[in-house]
Amino acid sequence: MSALLADVERRIASVHQLDAVVNAMRGIAGARAQQGRQILPAIRTYAQTAGRAIAQARRMHIGVPEPVDHPAARRQPGLILFGAEQGFAGAYPERVLDVAANDFADAHVFLVGARSVALARERGLALAWQTSLPSRVAELSGLAIALLDALSEYLARAGAVPVTMVYPFWTPGQGLKIIHRKLLPLDAETVPATGSGPVPLSNLPAAKLLEKLVQEYVFAQLCEAAAEAFAAENEARMATMAAAKTHIDGKLAALQLEERLTRQSEITAEVVELAAGARFRIHRR
């Protein structure tokens, strides 16, 4: 075997190994994206239940509780940004930061996702709080709790500042889009005082009950955004791996063609050499 043919075969083996890695990453991303989508209906039902409870509780106390106001801190609203945890997801991590880049200067930023945190630092963007996006759906509720605790601590200092969530949303066939959702203050129109019959009984003062229910509602919204971000990142990674698979298949086909042509060229050269040797021996006779 010539050195040229051996080199082509080594390159083919290397591409096969890369293909196996890409297929594995694509499979893992697909499984995680499906898990993220599967928990979303339950989270939305939970949020709707909390919203209905707020609507019922408002019949006892008209008004939606807000943090104590501190006008001096009003210039820095809260921004909860759900980014990417890992790479190999195409331009997705950059797109999330690009959309929210104009908000960084004036906002108290809570950034989720290690890859997005690294990119934000490279861009010189200021972060007030950061954490990782879990790799398992079972850990998303823990992330939402950590976010809620950090947000509550900030609101206790800053007062009734507006808080916005920015997170990715993946639509099959359409790809990625970025969602802006107002989280706080909670509009009374979002959960109007509704219902009929007797006013619900409670052992808590109406204002305290509303405060607890609003916390549950905000927690549910954070869980939903985290699940959407989890699913979107893995959908984006699947799309990237699918594109990589197409490129690998094309590269492999080209190398296999090169291998056949090289082998044929070597066989032809050997046949020509053997024929020349045979003619030389005949001539000498």
Side-chain angles (χ1 to χ4, degrees):
M1 181 187 300
S2 70
L4 179 58
L5 183 58
D7 179 64
V8 173
E9 290 183 347
R10 282 195 298 270
R11 289 158 62 193
I12 288 175
S14 176
V15 172
H16 275 301
Q17 292 175 352
L18 181 59
D19 185 53
V21 171
V22 166
N23 284 333
M25 292 180 65
R26 187 179 180 184
I28 293 171
R32 288 178 176 173
Q34 184 177 15
Q35 291 168 358
R37 289 193 299 268
Q38 285 176 340
I39 66 170
L40 278 167
I43 293 174
R44 288 169 181 150
T45 299
Y46 173 50
Q48 291 168 2
T49 301
R52 287 194 297 268
I54 292 172
Q56 288 287 332
R58 287 196 64 231
R59 297 173 60 201
M60 298 183 291
H61 179 80
I62 301 300
V64 177
E66 295 181 350
V68 177
D69 192 19
H70 300 291
R74 272 192 173 278
R75 289 193 299 271
Q76 199 169 32
L79 175 66
I80 301 174
L81 179 61
F82 290 87
E85 178 63 20
Q86 301 173 346
F88 300 104
Y92 156 65
E94 287 79 5
R95 278 192 61 188
V96 175
L97 285 178
D98 289 343
V99 169
N102 293 334
D103 300 323
F104 272 85
D106 300 323
H108 186 93
V109 180
F110 304 81
L111 181 56
V112 178
R115 177 60 179 162
S116 292
V117 168
L119 290 173
R121 287 174 175 168
E122 290 176 6
R123 297 184 182 194
L125 301 175
L127 304 176
W129 187 88
Q130 63 194 53
T131 191
S132 298
L133 182 66
S135 59
R136 299 171 54 225
V137 293
E139 299 170 352
L140 292 178
S141 60
L143 167 63
I145 291 172
L147 270 170
L148 185 60
D149 289 343
L151 181 60
S152 298
E153 181 181 346
Y154 176 62
L155 292 176
R157 301 193 311 269
V161 296
V163 179
T164 303
M165 292 191 304
V166 177
Y167 60 92
F169 179 84
W170 187 276
T171 303
Q174 299 180 21
L176 183 74
K177 66 177 180 179
I178 308 300
I179 303 296
H180 287 73
R181 177 181 291 184
K182 179 182 176 182
L183 185 64
L184 290 171
L186 187 63
D187 290 332
E189 291 76 13
T190 303
V191 283
T194 59
S196 58
V199 174
L201 297 177
S202 172
N203 293 323
L204 292 175
K208 188 66 174 179
L209 176 61
L210 271 172
E211 179 184 348
K212 294 295 185 182
L213 289 174
V214 168
Q215 288 180 0
E216 291 294 323
Y217 185 79
V218 170
F219 171 71
Q221 297 299 309
L222 292 172
C223 283
E224 181 178 356
E228 290 285 10
F230 180 87
E233 178 176 347
N234 284 286
E235 291 280 8
R237 185 165 296 113
M238 274 206 311
T240 300
M241 292 301 104
K245 170 68 173 172
T246 300
H247 177 74
I248 288 171
D249 288 345
K251 182 68 174 177
L252 188 58
L255 285 172
Q256 289 171 339
L257 176 60
E258 183 179 352
E259 179 190 29
R260 289 194 297 270
L261 293 175
T262 302
R263 194 180 298 276
Q264 290 172 3
S265 178
E266 291 186 357
I267 292 172
T268 300
E270 289 178 3
V271 170
V272 170
E273 184 179 348
L274 289 173
R279 285 197 301 272
F280 177 74
R281 286 193 297 273
I282 292 172
H283 179 71
R284 290 188 63 184
R285 290 177 185 175

